[in-house]
Amino acid sequence: MTATTSRPRSRSLALGVLATGMLMTILDGSIVTVAMPAIQSDLGFTPAGLSWVVNAYLIAFGSLLLLAGRLGDLMGRRRMFLAGTGVFTAASLLAGVATSPGVLIAARFLQGVGSAMASAVSLGILVTLFTEPRERAKAIAVFSFTGAAGASIGQVLGGILTDALTWNWIFFINLPIGAATLLVALRALPGDRGPGLRAGGGVDLLGAPLVTAGLMTGIYAVVKIEEYGAGSAHTLGLGALSLALLAGFVLRQARTANPLMPLRIFRSRSVSGANLVQMLMVAALFSFQILVALHLQKVLGYGAAATGLAMLPAAVVIGAVSLGVSARLNARFGERAVLLTGLALLVAMLGLLTRVPVHASYVTDLLPVMLLAAGFGLALPALTSLGMSGAKEEDAGLASGLFNTTQQIGMALGIAVLSTLAAARTESLTEAGRPAAEALTSGYHLAFGVGAGLLVAAFVVALTVLRQPKHDGKAPQNQNQNQRVAAPVA
């Protein structure tokens, strides 16, 4: 990618644009959860059909990130971000005016496509803008905050909008944000030139459908585990098909002269290890983001808005840690040490949740859990820095897309595995005659325990695989070489 020097003010504005784009994506993934009952009632969704309000977005988003990231490297990351934000904003309008289940599901799929296009290149743009280690750490802390706290903010906002207005406004709110993001991005984001679609012999036209179909099939199989069962012919058959498609994609990448995903990226311990840690961590933390909200509503009787407000302390501490101290801690102690500390706090958080009683007190039983969520504010910025540190500049979009892809796979696995375990335990206890609240709580306890185990596994991987990047936190000696970032283009 060709580039020139960018002014600090322009870089700060560009960071704001990227963070806002990420916030829209994260909010959209969580804001829908608290509005699901209202959507079902208004549009006449069946219980099985309602799940597609989430699944349609998740499948499109998770399966297209890798492709979008590589296309951004080839065609220009700014162009991909702008196109993705435009698609997402238009799809939000369609979702808001939907009057039937089919239209809403189609709109959610298009939202996932737009989110994948914009999100896949965001980190790639960021790491080429901020090349000095301390500045990059601060920028990643801001960017990570939007991802870490956005989910909790989405639940608060979704509850308030649904209760005060209608569910349609959870989509309409994206319109002014998306329009403003596009207008500012046109001037603030660096103008970059990729080598073009014909670089190295053209786009890998066989690899692209292989990886997209493989990821889409796999994510679909995972999100339907709760309906069909893990050992069903449906799950096993689609799982085998997904593995075959992805194996074919890997073989294709190893042999073709112009791979969509150069396998050299996995030679970096930082890239491989960080993506594995993220997958485990995100899968585990699904139990916090979703199952705690369900416990508040189904067991303790909280409403939508009250549930969002109850989760707000987690968003506050995550934001305070991400923005206030994570960059300084990373600079002083190193990303690896900060990541391990964050994971340890998260293990403690889920450990406490395994002991939450049926008649829990918010102040004594749940508020300490919310405060321990600060571990996510430590872990995610450090993990993002480690995951992007091993990628070359020409692979920044691909590394960004890969990092987001493993996040979505982890989320899908968390939804499928932990919710299935919780539901099975609850059903077993209900059939045995236990009270509904007690059966639900026991099911959640099981999911929290398994989630804690996944976090322990993530801790072990981080301890044994990841290595601290070799920098001392000072500006590189060759400033001209390390500040080759693109100037804003009107």
Side-chain angles (χ1 to χ4, degrees):
M1 296 246 174
T2 60
T4 57
T5 303
S6 171
R7 297 187 302 273
R9 182 179 178 183
S10 300
R11 290 191 297 160
S12 298
L13 191 59
L15 175 60
V17 168
L18 295 173
T20 302
M22 174 58 72
L23 183 62
M24 278 201 307
T25 296
I26 298 298
L27 284 177
D28 201 74
S30 61
I31 200 172
V32 174
T33 58
V34 294
M36 296 282 273
I39 292 174
Q40 182 177 18
S41 175
D42 194 16
L43 296 187
F45 271 96
T46 64
L50 186 64
S51 65
W52 281 100
V53 176
V54 174
N55 293 343
Y57 179 89
L58 181 62
I59 289 172
F61 185 45
S63 61
L64 293 173
L65 280 164
L66 199 60
L67 176 60
R70 193 54 179 170
L71 289 177
D73 285 335
L74 296 174
M75 299 171 58
R77 298 173 197 130
R78 177 179 180 268
R79 182 183 301 174
M80 184 64 68
F81 181 89
L82 292 171
T85 302
V87 170
F88 176 84
T89 304
S92 296
L93 175 60
L94 180 61
V97 300
T99 57
S100 68
V103 172
L104 181 58
I105 290 172
R108 290 288 288 162
F109 186 88
L110 289 175
Q111 278 188 309
V113 173
S115 291
M117 294 169 67
S119 300
V121 296
S122 294
L123 274 174
I125 297 173
L126 186 150
V127 298
T128 56
L129 277 171
F130 297 88
T131 56
E132 194 274 322
R134 288 183 181 273
E135 289 186 344
R136 179 181 289 185
K138 292 177 181 178
I140 286 178
V142 172
F143 188 80
S144 297
F145 161 70
T146 61
S152 297
I153 296 172
Q155 290 177 326
V156 176
L157 191 59
I160 293 173
L161 289 174
T162 302
D163 284 352
L165 299 170
T166 65
W167 63 264
N168 311 77
W169 284 93
I170 67 175
F171 300 114
F172 287 149
I173 196 173
N174 291 328
L175 302 183
I177 299 174
T181 300
L182 282 171
L183 289 175
V184 178
L186 283 169
R187 296 192 61 85
L189 288 188
D192 54 345
R193 289 184 181 180
L197 295 180
R198 296 185 179 278
V203 177
D204 182 8
L205 296 177
L206 179 59
L210 279 174
V211 68
T212 303
L215 288 171
M216 192 172 290
T217 303
I219 293 172
Y220 173 76
V222 167
V223 300
K224 301 299 284 185
I225 283 178
E226 186 174 1
E227 179 178 345
Y228 290 97
S232 67
H234 179 275
T235 300
L236 295 178
L238 288 179
L241 176 59
S242 173
L243 290 175
L245 289 169
L246 293 176
F249 170 71
V250 172
L251 289 175
R252 170 71 178 175
Q253 302 313 288
R255 297 177 179 180
T256 186
N258 57 316
L260 181 69
M261 185 183 72
L263 298 183
R264 64 174 181 269
I265 196 171
F266 293 106
R267 297 172 188 165
S268 167
R269 292 172 66 116
S270 295
V271 172
S272 299
N275 277 280
L276 179 55
V277 170
Q278 179 177 231
M279 190 183 303
L280 293 168
M281 183 176 73
V282 171
L285 291 180
F286 159 77
S287 62
F288 171 77
Q289 179 184 341
I290 303 299
L291 296 186
V292 169
L294 290 176
H295 183 269
L296 289 169
Q297 294 186 37
K298 292 188 175 182
V299 177
L300 300 183
Y302 284 39
T307 297
L309 292 173
M311 303 286 285
L312 185 59
V316 172
V317 297
I318 289 171
V321 171
S322 296
L323 299 177
V325 299
S326 65
R328 283 179 286 177
L329 291 176
N330 286 336
R332 182 172 181 180
F333 300 106
E335 290 90 346
R336 180 173 176 269
V338 175
L339 171 61
L340 292 171
T341 303
L343 289 172
L345 290 176
L346 294 175
V347 171
M349 180 187 76
L350 290 189
L352 285 181
L353 282 172
T354 64
R355 304 175 60 85
V356 170
V358 175
H359 304 290
S361 164
Y362 180 80
V363 173
T364 59
D365 296 315
L366 291 171
L367 185 57
V369 171
M370 302 298 169
L371 298 180
L372 283 172
F376 199 34
L378 292 176
L380 189 58
L383 188 60
T384 304
S385 295
L386 289 166
M388 295 301 293
S389 66
K392 299 179 180 179
E393 183 178 347
E394 63 267 23
D395 294 329
L398 173 62
S400 175
L402 177 63
F403 198 74
N404 281 290
T405 298
T406 56
Q407 186 179 87
Q408 296 306 307
I409 292 174
M411 186 183 300
L413 288 171
I415 291 172
V417 175
L418 299 183
S419 61
T420 299
L421 290 173
R425 169 68 67 86
T426 298
E427 183 179 357
S428 175
L429 293 177
T430 301
E431 291 176 351
R434 304 283 281 276
E438 184 179 335
L440 283 168
T441 302
S442 181
Y444 298 147
H445 283 173
L446 175 61
F448 296 143
V450 174
L454 292 174
L455 286 173
V456 170
F459 185 95
V460 171
V461 172
L463 183 65
T464 57
V465 175
L466 293 179
R467 295 289 183 268
Q468 180 62 28
K470 295 181 179 180
H471 62 71
D472 58 5
K474 299 179 182 179
Q477 293 180 357
N478 189 346
Q479 290 291 336
N480 292 330
Q481 179 180 353
N482 285 281
Q483 290 194 6
R484 291 182 301 141
V485 291
V489 176

